[in-house]
Structure formats: C-alpha cells, structure tokens
Amino acid sequence: MLAVGAGSLLAACGGGSEAAGTQGTKAAGALASPTPFVVGSSSGDSFLIDSVNVAQNQFAPLNLEVPKLIYPQSGVQGLQMVSAGAIDGAAMDTIGAMLSFAKSQKGSRPVIVGMRMPVNTYNMIVGPGNWPGENAGFAEKMAALKGKRIGVTAIGAGTDNILNLALKAAGMERDDIAVVGVGQIPAAIAQIKNDRLDAYVGFTFGSGLSVATQVGGQMLIDFSATGTPELLSDLQVCPLVMREDKVESNQDTANAWLAAQWEAKTWITDNRSAAAKLLNEGTFNNSAPEEAAKTIDYMVDRVFPLVSPNWKVTRSGIEHAADVMDQLGMLPKGSVSYEDIVPPFARV
C-alpha cells in the first residue's frame, strides 16, 4: 500500500478537460473570471476531498484553475510552501498551523479558513500480541504499552505530539515507553513485522487501518472514540489554511475554494461506494477495498455530521488546541487566539 502523505513534491492528479463531472456550467459563488489556485494535498483519506474535486471537475465551475494537486513531503514543508506563496490552499495540522502562525511574519502567516476534520483522526496501532480487548478502557489500553517500542513518523512530528498527549491523559511518563522515529508507513509496517516495533501512531483513520491489516494487528485506540479523554478526543486536527495576505486581498477566492470542498463532501456522502473505490485506488494501491469502505463510513457517519456549515471554524476547537499546546509546553496559551488565526468570515 502507498504511504499516506507520500508522493513527489510535484506529483499531479489530472484536473483538465478530461476530468469527469459537470463542465461548462458556472456554479453559485463562482469567481468573476478564471483564477489560478494551487492546492496542496496528500494521498491519505483526510485528503480524499481534494481528489474528488479533481475527479469530478468541481473546480472549473467555480472559475478556479487548478491544473494539478501539489504533494508536499511533510506537513512542515506544506506550511512553509503556504507561507512562501507556493501553495494557495491546503488542509494542514492544527497545531502545526498555530505554531507556524506564531513564528511567521504578518502577511505571510497561515490562517485557518475552515475546519475539514473536526475530530482527532489519530490512533494507536499494535502488532500481533495479547492486548486489551475492544471494551477495555483508555487507561488500561495505554497501560498495556508500558515498556513497549512505539513508532512515530518523526520525533517532534504530529504523531509524536499526539503520543505525548495520550501519555499525559493516561497519567504516564515518556520514560514508560520507547519512542522510535520511523518515517512513513511502509517503514513502520516493516519494523512491526520484524519485531522491532510493538506499536505505531497512525495519523488518519484509513492509514491506521492499513497498518493494522498488513501487520496482522489491530487498532488498539481510536483517539476520536467514545471513552477517550476529552483532552484527546476534542482535538480538531485538519483545518483548511491559506496565506494571510491572500485571504485579506481576495476573500472571494477563499469562498470559492471552500465551496468546491463542500461539493466534494456532498459527493462523498451521496456516493459512498464510488468514494471508497477512489480511495482504494489512490491511497491503498487498489488492494484494500474493505478498509477503504470502512474509512468512508467513518468520514460520512462520524466526521461529516460534526462539520459546521461551509466549514466554519469554532472557537472551542481553536482554544482547545491552544490549551493542548500550552500543556505540552509547545506554545504559551494566549500566544495565538481564535481572532488572530481565524478570519471573521470563517468564524461560527
């Protein structure tokens, strides 16, 4: 299976006249004239909306010219490209966006114009072994990880931050486990299979399922599930970001992009089987139809009902992320406020 988030920097998805969907019609909220717009994306399930936009030709009716999707090598690089103006819009990590906002200069800072995934999509995957059952509590499941080797994409990355948060929520210390930076999914799978890792922090629901299936293990903890401490479950992890000066100078472009995203969300909701097929082909190398179907059900049944109209951003989501960052010693609370990072039109 392909690694979620992998792909060359300039890998492209077809977005030209051959794309399926409506052509030659102007959608409500369309820009007055064709406007170039560069979208940053990834191959993972949290980014399926971008692929749907392209496959269903949903940019053109809004007069957004998106010839291809740009695939940064990491979230950090993606935020750097937003700040540099190389990407106009992308779904990024909430904590990463807030850190980048705090460290960047006014005008080039990333601002949050929407919240695509208002849930915590991270999870804890374990390999074969005697693990607590599905009905066990969060604390019991975390306690089973004591003395174990847990893989994260990189030390200091989003998966590592989530691991620290999970340890804190369970009353555990970093020294209770061994943390290993393993890079992308294929490396994690290989290390679990070779008994060099006991567990891995997945960063999307689909990526977690893919790892669990391939190693013969299980998703020990879904951090968005009922029973998970609110410190974790209330964390919203996938906002839509744009560069500050571009939003201020042309809000209409931001609104057109948000409208395209909403069209994709509607299409996924109305076409679960086709969406699962697209996800399986694009992310799972056409080898995990069951996992793809489960992922679409997760998105439609658990994530989309929590999305605010037109992706609007709640104060509670940003303030909770700020509180988490303060508790982890990443950024003092009050450094980045809701009003700072969310433009007025994007607020609930």
Side-chain angles (χ1 to χ4, degrees):
M1 296 182 185
L2 298 178
V4 178
S8 66
L9 176 60
L10 297 179
C13 290
S17 60
E18 301 85 0
T22 305
Q23 289 180 242
T25 58
K26 194 173 181 180
L31 297 170
S33 59
T35 303
F37 193 82
V38 180
V39 175
S41 189
S42 178
S43 59
D45 45 300
S46 291
F47 302 88
L48 178 64
I49 280 175
D50 303 322
S51 298
V52 171
N53 278 156
V54 171
Q56 296 300 309
N57 198 31
Q58 293 168 334
F59 290 124
L62 289 155
N63 262 337
L64 287 172
E65 293 186 333
V66 185
K68 59 188 175 183
L69 302 178
I70 303 301
Y71 286 69
Q73 296 292 333
S74 67
V76 172
Q77 186 187 61
L79 285 164
Q80 290 172 343
M81 294 179 73
V82 170
S83 294
I87 286 177
D88 293 313
M92 293 290 176
D93 174 69
T94 306
I95 289 176
M98 293 176 72
L99 279 174
S100 181
F101 182 94
K103 295 177 180 179
S104 301
Q105 293 184 341
K106 182 175 174 56
S108 65
R109 299 178 296 191
V111 294
I112 297 175
V113 299
M115 183 60 71
R116 181 189 280 177
M117 305 291 280
V119 298
N120 188 342
T121 62
Y122 289 80
N123 43 75
M124 182 68 71
I125 306 303
V126 292
N130 185 23
W131 300 99
E134 184 177 343
N135 294 326
F138 173 80
E140 181 182 349
K141 291 178 179 179
M142 285 296 297
L145 296 168
K146 286 187 177 182
K148 304 298 185 182
R149 299 155 297 179
I150 302 177
V152 296
T153 52
I155 303 301
T159 49
D160 193 31
N161 293 333
I162 289 293
L163 177 57
N164 285 333
L165 192 60
L167 292 169
K168 183 177 182 63
M172 295 169 61
E173 302 292 335
R174 181 89 167 184
D175 290 343
D176 289 334
I177 58 172
V179 184
V180 183
V182 297
Q184 295 291 347
I185 289 175
I189 292 171
Q191 293 206 37
I192 294 175
K193 285 184 174 180
N194 291 320
D195 199 31
R196 292 197 292 267
L197 272 185
D198 301 296
Y200 177 72
V201 182
F203 43 91
T204 71
F205 187 80
S207 70
L209 285 181
S210 74
V211 173
T213 297
Q214 292 185 78
V215 303
Q218 67 186 73
M219 185 180 288
L220 181 66
I221 307 173
D222 170 1
F223 291 136
S224 70
T226 302
T228 304
E230 291 181 356
L231 189 66
L232 280 160
S233 64
D234 286 359
L235 187 61
Q236 301 181 10
V237 301
C238 193
L240 299 166
V241 305
M242 293 179 64
R243 181 169 148 144
E244 186 176 27
D245 58 356
K246 292 188 177 183
V247 173
E248 290 176 350
S249 64
N250 199 340
Q251 182 183 319
D252 288 345
T253 301
N255 285 330
W257 180 48
L258 292 170
Q261 298 269 298
W262 198 266
E263 283 293 315
K265 169 187 169 293
T266 301
W267 185 88
I268 292 170
T269 301
D270 294 341
N271 300 274
R272 294 196 194 205
S273 295
K277 184 175 184 293
L278 185 64
L279 178 62
N280 187 35
E281 292 173 348
T283 295
F284 297 137
N285 205 23
N286 220 19
S287 60
E290 291 185 11
E291 287 77 6
K294 289 178 181 178
T295 301
I296 295 301
D297 287 342
Y298 170 84
M299 292 174 67
V300 175
D301 296 334
R302 291 175 56 186
V303 178
F304 289 169
L306 300 176
V307 172
S308 299
N310 204 33
W311 310 106
K312 288 190 180 294
V313 185
T314 63
R315 177 182 296 276
S316 61
I318 299 303
E319 291 186 346
H320 183 73
D323 184 51
V324 165
M325 295 170 75
D326 181 58
Q327 291 193 45
L328 293 178
M330 301 175 68
L331 194 69
K333 195 169 183 178
S335 300
V336 178
S337 71
Y338 178 69
E339 286 77 15
D340 290 335
I341 200 168
V342 181
F345 75 89
R347 300 172 193 163
V348 172

